[in-house]
């Protein structure tokens, strides 16, 4: 096993779709065909607005005979949700703006009458987006784009900590955005009322723009383009 900097390691013959990391190693480099992305946060969402969207997918059909979905994905632009919830049934799903011959959740197909310049610029940076994969040890996100993604989730925060932790994931790297074992052992304190609702099974991911104490944007709703991953009965 060879190390490539602090917190990063690869194996000579990693099993698909990625090599295992020790608990202290959060990121791992990938081939161009594999990348990760993901994030979560406990920020007020009471005032979020849902906008109408025309996106449709066979996975959301009431007549679908597929097994129960393991997560749903919502796409947001600032405080506005664009399109419907995208239910995920397969082990892995691509979430992208433009992926030649790709299948999955295409954000480029989601229309909105009025978009700000910052949203248009950020959407142009999504590109190949991310690959979200459910594995035996948790949920992994692979950054397949050319720009970083920013992630926060309950299992990325320090145990018992109250400070928001947002992780930057460079292009070509992956991160375990939700750890099944840690989620079962973790007992998060009740958040302050100002923090808004807290969902221990939700992960949020921002494309290209960070937020939190280290950034000018304090809340995820200040980010132009972001995802909310709603896990359905983790494990």
């Amino acid at each position: 096993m060879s190390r490539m900097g602090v917190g990063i390691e690869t194996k000579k013959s990693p099993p698909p779709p990625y090599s295992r990391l020790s608990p202290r190693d959060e990121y791992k480099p990938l081939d161009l065909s594999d990348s990760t992305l993901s994030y979560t946060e406990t920020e007020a969402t009471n005032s979020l607005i849902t906008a109408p969207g025309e996106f449709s997918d066979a996975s959301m059909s009431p007549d679908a005979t597929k097994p129960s979905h393991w997560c749903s994905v919502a796409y947001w632009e600032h405080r506005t949700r664009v399109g419907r919830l995208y239910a995920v049934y397969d082990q892995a799903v691509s979430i992208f703006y433009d992926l030649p011959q790709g299948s999955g959740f295409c954000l480029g197909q989601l229309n909105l009458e009025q978009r700000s310049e910052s949203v248009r610029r950020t959407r142009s940076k999504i590109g190949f987006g991310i690959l979200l994969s459910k594995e035996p040890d948790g949920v992994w996100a692979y950054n397949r784009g050319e720009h970083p993604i920013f992630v926060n989730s309950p299992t990325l925060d320090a145990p018992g900590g109250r400070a928001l932790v947002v992780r930057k994931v460079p292009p070509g790297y992956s991160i375990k955005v939700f750890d099944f074992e840690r989620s079962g052992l973790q007992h998060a304190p009740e958040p302050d009322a100002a923090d808004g609702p807290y969902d221990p099974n939700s992960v949020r991911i921002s494309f290209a723009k960070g937020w939190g104490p280290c950034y000018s944007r304090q809340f995820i709703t200040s980010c132009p383009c972001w995802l909310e991953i709603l896990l359905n009965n983790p494990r």
Side-chain angles (χ1 to χ4, degrees), residues 100-160:
Q101 299 180 348
S103 62
F105 190 5
C106 180
L107 304 180
Q109 294 182 355
L110 301 180
N111 298 317
L112 194 62
E113 289 186 2
Q114 294 184 346
R115 281 192 167 105
S116 67
E117 182 61 28
S118 65
V119 169
R120 288 195 292 269
R121 286 197 305 266
T122 304
R123 279 172 62 84
S124 70
K125 297 178 180 180
I126 295 175
F128 290 178
I130 66 168
L131 179 71
L132 196 66
S133 178
K134 181 181 182 183
E135 302 295 330
D137 61 340
V139 178
W140 288 77
Y142 300 77
N143 187 355
R144 306 182 70 182
E146 297 181 353
H147 298 272
I149 60 173
F150 296 83
V151 177
N152 170 265
S153 84
T155 63
L156 287 177
D157 291 338

Side-chain angles (χ1 to χ4, degrees), residues 2 31 34 38 45 49 55 60 97 104 109 116 120 124 139 153 165 184 206:
S2 60
D31 295 333
D34 295 327
S38 216
T45 56
I49 303 169
F55 182 82
M60 294 182 287
Y97 184 86
Q109 294 182 355
S116 67
R120 288 195 292 269
S124 70
V139 178
S153 84
V165 177
S206 174

Side-chain angles (χ1 to χ4, degrees), residues 23-224:
R24 298 184 63 182
D25 292 318
E26 296 170 344
Y27 306 123
K28 56 191 174 187
L30 302 168
D31 295 333
L32 292 178
S33 59
D34 295 327
S35 318
T36 302
L37 137 74
S38 216
Y39 89 88
T40 281
E41 169 214 60
T42 60
E43 182 252 325
T45 56
N46 287 333
S47 59
L48 298 180
I49 303 169
T50 300
E54 299 301 327
F55 182 82
S56 62
D57 183 82
S59 64
M60 294 182 287
S61 170
D63 297 326
T65 58
K66 298 179 180 180
S68 178
H69 62 283
W70 62 269
C71 81
S72 297
V73 182
Y75 169 66
W76 298 81
E77 293 178 359
H78 293 297
R79 291 179 173 271
T80 301
R81 200 186 88 190
V82 183
R84 304 177 183 178
L85 285 176
Y86 184 90
V88 179
Y89 297 86
D90 296 332
Q91 178 182 339
V93 61
S94 293
I95 305 172
F96 58 93
Y97 184 86
D98 182 21
L99 184 62
Q101 299 180 348
S103 62
F105 190 5
C106 180
L107 304 180
Q109 294 182 355
L110 301 180
N111 298 317
L112 194 62
E113 289 186 2
Q114 294 184 346
R115 281 192 167 105
S116 67
E117 182 61 28
S118 65
V119 169
R120 288 195 292 269
R121 286 197 305 266
T122 304
R123 279 172 62 84
S124 70
K125 297 178 180 180
I126 295 175
F128 290 178
I130 66 168
L131 179 71
L132 196 66
S133 178
K134 181 181 182 183
E135 302 295 330
D137 61 340
V139 178
W140 288 77
Y142 300 77
N143 187 355
R144 306 182 70 182
E146 297 181 353
H147 298 272
I149 60 173
F150 296 83
V151 177
N152 170 265
S153 84
T155 63
L156 287 177
D157 291 338
R162 302 181 68 87
L164 174 68
V165 177
V166 177
R167 302 300 172 90
K168 179 179 179 180
V169 183
Y173 285 79
S174 66
I175 185 172
K176 188 194 297 184
V177 297
F178 195 87
D179 187 305
F180 293 151
E181 183 176 357
R182 286 196 63 187
S183 69
L185 299 176
Q186 189 164 292
H187 298 285
E190 288 294 326
D192 294 334
D195 292 334
Y198 177 82
D199 186 347
N201 297 324
S202 174
V203 175
R204 297 177 183 178
I205 301 168
S206 174
F207 292 105
K209 305 296 182 180
W211 81 100
C214 299
Y215 299 90
S216 60
R217 301 170 183 81
Q218 293 300 298
F219 305 111
I220 185 63
T221 49
S222 299
C223 294

